[in-house]
Each structure stands twice: as structure tokens, then as C-alpha cells.
Amino acid sequence: MCGIAGIISPNARNYTEEIGKMTDVIAYRGPDSADHEFFDHAALGHRRLSIIDLSENGKQPMFSSTQNECIVLNGEIYGYQEIKAKYSDYPYKGASDTEVILAMYQKKQENLINELPGMFAFAIWDEKKQELFCARDRFGEKPFYYATGKNGEFIFASEIKQIIASELVKPEIDQAQIAYYLKNGYIHPHKTIYKNIFNLKPAHTLILKNGKIKTQPYWTIPTETSQLSLEESIEKFRYLLDNAVKKQLVADVPVGSFLSGGLDSSTIVAVASKYKKNLKTLVYGYESGDLNEMPYAKAIADKYETDHHILLDKKQKISETLKEVYSYMDEPLMDSSLLPTHLIFKEASKNLKVVLSGDVGDELFGGYTFYKYNIDLSQKGFYPAYLSKMFLLANQFKNIGSERQHRAQYNDTIDYHQNKVRNYFTSSEIKNLGLNEKIPGQDFSFEPTGKDFNDLMRIDLEKYVPGNMLLKGDRTSMYNSVEVRIPFLDIDFAEFCIQLPWQYKVNKSEDKIILRKAYSQMWTEEIAKRGKNGFAASVNEWFKETELQELSTNLLENRESFIFNYLDFNEVQKKLNQQLQHWSLLVLALWFENNKKNLL
């Protein structure tokens, strides 16, 4: 796990200072070393967090055996030993997964991407072809940003702050993305908050040749449905997940796992314990209330005799944690779990460099309550237009109930999922706040129909997962110099799960059906009976903190605050009694305050 940087320009050797600034500003992504290589037309930079092959043979930028190609990679290629065996005629110098990509490139050029597993963002400079080949992994676990500099330079990086640090790009706010953030709680997964800094889409390649940029997809989310029986599916589910966890335990440094006491993390720990004894596990614990995960986590830790550690929420100041997080976040993200995620990675960094996570289980196995509710709505039926008008009119005079209102207000299951689930401000509220730009839509790699409830999960895999969940995990882990691995996103396992019939995952009364059938015998009885419990805290409780109230007053009740260059002051005041909207605006205001120097 690392950070990458590059500047492609006819006089690239003159950019030593700029490339140095780009790698220095992300020293936390790779505290073990920083290196740079220069060609006449390409400058490449790298920060290294040593995980595989800790020797000098693993350092980057890395040249191929012919010295013609040079690569910078951020990520891990799981199962790279098996791939290496297929390219055994390459004269390897070390044991890193990075070198395997160079071997593949010499044989297959850009076509290597079709058989490359793992989480990655990389760039290969081909000196003979005078061409840059870049790629990002299928689900967007690793970031890749790019921009055009003031002198026509092509600039790429792992984080937006690197592009700004080069001083070759003056960032310009995209107000449509502020609107998207207010609606969804995060920036569009294929965009950035800036008009002139771009985000390479997951599952896409980028080729720069003769100053021209070409991007194209190399993989799309499967839309087929498996024909396997439930029993056959359960057997294959176990086999593929075991294999995924086993591959992701490979490292030359200690590997641990998060353990929340939920179904997903308990499954990862149970499987990992088959291959690694005395696995180090970590839980973020709340001292009281419904969010106390500690007893459930301890039960699994005891069952598998893990080396268990608890990070206890001792009511440290939320305002301090929030300010620390936004000292490095390049874009606003309203997800309240961002703060505890940062804290648990901070704790993990004391003893670990690699941590397994149970993320994305809900999107693959149908774990969210709103999936069940949406199925129930759809099976009862959304009302036709003429009835919808009658019900919505009646609701103005008499409460007809939320279910009937939703069946009248939305056209179908996709409409409900896109415009109700995880929506924080309505379009009219956003317009009243002073943003008249059209809120960007989502360009999915498939056409959601709503006839297959897997489409709800596919939408989340292409929208919420890269835009919120994976971004949160990458930034918080990397700031604390920890690599997070997500076994559920192993390509073989994830593709299999996406294609399972939705009935094997969720219905209007049950969730994670196949996970429960495949692994419930490996959990404790209490965990098997648990429902969904998000990794977050109560924003309502947070706003009782005096220091957070003061921060909010300084940023949201001060007309001179930078956020009011974009939002209407009086309209913002009306939203400060709505806790989630208040939190969303506070995060945005703090982000603006920290980044205004780049915008002036």
C-alpha cells in the first residue's frame, strides 16, 4: 500500500521540485521510503508502505527487466504467486507483486488488466512507445486522480492534495458537486469537488499518447443470474470466501482483523483463524447504549482465541477528532462513521500494518433494512399516477402512513432507492440554499430495471461503495499508515455473489440469507440472532458537546464563513435544528474553511 504521483511533459526532468512536493504531502501513505525516477517526458514518484518484499528489490518506481517500462503501483495483487508462475520466463529480481505486473505487461501490454486481481491503481510509463498506461481496480478500492497543468502537463496522483501541491493546477469548485454532496452525503463517485481535477472511474483504464487521453472500461458489473441451487451456492460461497481470506492474509508484516461483533466481521475472523492462529482483532467500543458491540466481539474473540484489543470511546472531544480528520480529507464526507473509523485505524497502527475488514457484505448479501422494506413496497405495489395524486393530496389533511406515502410518492423500486434512501436534502431544499445547478445523475454500467432486486445492490456497489465506503476506508487507513483489505471484494467471490438470485440474499423479512446458511455454525448463538447495526455514533449526542457547538457557531452562524460564498446564510440557519442536515453542513463548512486558501 502506497501513494503514487506522476507528471508527463516534454521537459519532465525539470519537475523535480513539483514531483517532490507531490510525494511529500502524502508521506503518511508511505512512511517507509520515497523515490522518484525521471525520463525526458515522464517524472514518476512513489511513497512506500512496505508490505510485500521488504527489501530494496520491492521499491518503486520499479523498472522492468529491459529498463523500457517503469511502474508505480498503489495496492495489492492477491494471489500474485500463482500469476507469477504463469510468467515464469520473466527474469524476476525480487518477490514483490509489483514486478508481476511488469512481467504481464511485457507479454500482454494493456490486455494484462483482464486477468489482474486485487485492489490497485497504477501507472506504467513505456519509454519506447512514449505512452502512459494507467488502471484502477474494479470496485474502486484504490484512488486515481488526474488533471491537466497550466503548461499542458498531464498530472496523476493518489490524492487530490498532491495535484494541488504541485502548484500546476488552480482548483475550481464544481457547485453541482456541492449539490450532489448535500443530497447524498458524498461527492459523485466518478467526479471530484473540482471542475478541473478528475477521478478515474473504477474498472477503467487510461492511456495517454501524444497528449491525448483515452479512458475506457475493462470490466462491468455482472447482470446475469446464477442457475445454481441454494445448496450448490452455499458450498461454492464457502469455498470462494475461504480462498479470498487465505490470499489476503499473505504479507511480510503482521496482519490483523477488525471485529465489530456483526455477521460480516465475525465471518472474516472465523475464516482467517483457520489459517492464522492468535489473530490480532480490534473492536471500537461504546461504553453505553445500543451501539455497544464489545460483548458480541469478545464472544467471537474467545471462540477463536484471538489476540483481542478494545478501543474504548471515552468521550474524547468530537470537535478535535473532526478537525483532525479534515486536516487530511480532500473532499467533504458526511458519514458519521468516518470519525470512529479514523480512531480505530489510529489504534491499529500501533501494532499492525495490515488489517482485514468486513466491509461491503451488506451490498453483496442484502444486509440493509431498506432492501427488505423496498422489496415489501414493490410486492405490495407502487400506486399508478392518478392514485398517487389522490393519496398525496389526502396526506396533506390526514396522515396516511409512511408506507402508503412512499408507494404514492415514488414510481418504482429504483426511484425509491435513488431518491429516498440515504438522501439528506431534497432538490427543492438544495435550490433554496442557493445552488441552482442540476444535481448530477449516476452513469451506471448497467440499466437498472427494478424487476431484479439485485439491481438495488448493484446500484450501491457502483455508487455508495466507491463514493463513500471505500473512500472512507482508504483515507482513514492511509493517513494512519495502515493497509486495509476487504476479502468480500475478492473478484471471484464478489462476482459470484452479485450473480446469486436475490432470493438467496434477502426478502421482505430476512437478510443475508446465504451468509447465515453458510456460516452461522461458526458464530455464537447471540451473533446469529443479531440484526444490522451500523458502525457509527449518534450525531444527536455529539451536538451536546460544548466544543462542537462552538465550532458550529463559528462556521455556520458567521456570515464571513467561507461556505457562504456558495450557500445562502439565512437558509442554512433554518437547517441547524435538523441534526443530520446540521452535521452535513458543518462538515462542508469545515472543509471549505480548511481549503479556502486554494480557492482564493
Side-chain angles (χ1 to χ4, degrees), residues 143-346:
F144 190 100
Y145 298 100
Y146 63 98
T148 300
K150 59 187 177 183
N151 304 307
E153 305 94 338
F154 177 82
I155 308 162
F156 69 85
S158 293
E159 296 190 20
I160 293 171
K161 63 173 60 67
Q162 297 172 260
I163 293 175
I164 295 173
S166 74
E167 299 182 13
L168 297 171
V169 176
K170 176 69 173 177
E172 301 173 23
I173 285 289
D174 184 349
Q175 294 194 43
Q177 288 308 312
I178 301 176
Y180 188 94
Y181 162 81
L182 290 172
K183 179 185 178 186
N184 297 284
Y186 53 90
I187 300 300
H188 192 295
H190 301 162
K191 308 286 185 179
T192 78
I193 199 167
Y194 301 112
K195 291 179 181 179
N196 54 342
I197 299 178
F198 305 97
N199 189 357
L200 182 61
K201 294 179 184 179
H204 275 62
T205 59
L206 181 153
I207 294 176
L208 177 71
K209 178 80 171 179
N210 296 327
K212 295 182 180 179
I213 300 169
K214 178 184 178 183
T215 64
Q216 63 182 35
Y218 63 86
W219 179 84
T220 55
I221 197 163
T223 54
E224 302 82 8
T225 301
S226 168
Q227 299 302 309
L228 294 178
S229 68
L230 180 57
E231 290 71 24
E232 292 170 326
S233 297
I234 291 168
E235 183 178 352
K236 189 169 183 180
F237 186 96
R238 290 194 191 110
Y239 169 78
L240 290 173
L241 183 55
D242 272 37
N243 194 42
V245 172
K246 188 177 180 180
K247 285 188 291 186
Q248 296 196 22
L249 285 169
V250 175
D252 294 329
V253 294
V255 179
S257 183
F258 290 146
L259 177 57
S260 70
L263 307 189
D264 299 332
S265 66
S266 296
T267 301
I268 297 297
V269 168
V271 175
S273 295
K274 292 165 58 175
Y275 304 106
K276 185 176 180 63
K277 300 302 178 186
N278 198 35
L279 179 73
K280 187 182 290 292
T281 53
L282 301 98
V283 62
Y284 187 88
Y286 292 87
E287 290 184 288
S288 61
D290 297 334
L291 293 170
N292 190 351
E293 305 276 313
M294 291 184 288
Y296 300 101
K298 187 176 185 306
I300 287 290
D302 290 344
K303 182 178 177 71
Y304 292 101
E305 299 179 340
T306 70
D307 179 13
H308 193 53
H309 296 258
I310 297 171
L311 171 61
L312 192 62
D313 177 9
K314 296 181 179 178
K315 306 302 180 187
Q316 62 266 40
K317 288 184 170 53
I318 297 300
S319 56
E320 291 180 1
T321 306
L322 181 62
K323 286 188 281 189
E324 181 178 9
V325 167
Y326 275 91
S327 71
Y328 63 84
M329 288 293 290
D330 285 338
E331 297 178 293
L333 181 66
M334 78 155 288
D335 189 340
S336 63
S337 70
L338 178 66
L339 273 63
T341 302
H342 164 78
L343 292 172
I344 197 170
F345 276 118
K346 195 172 185 178

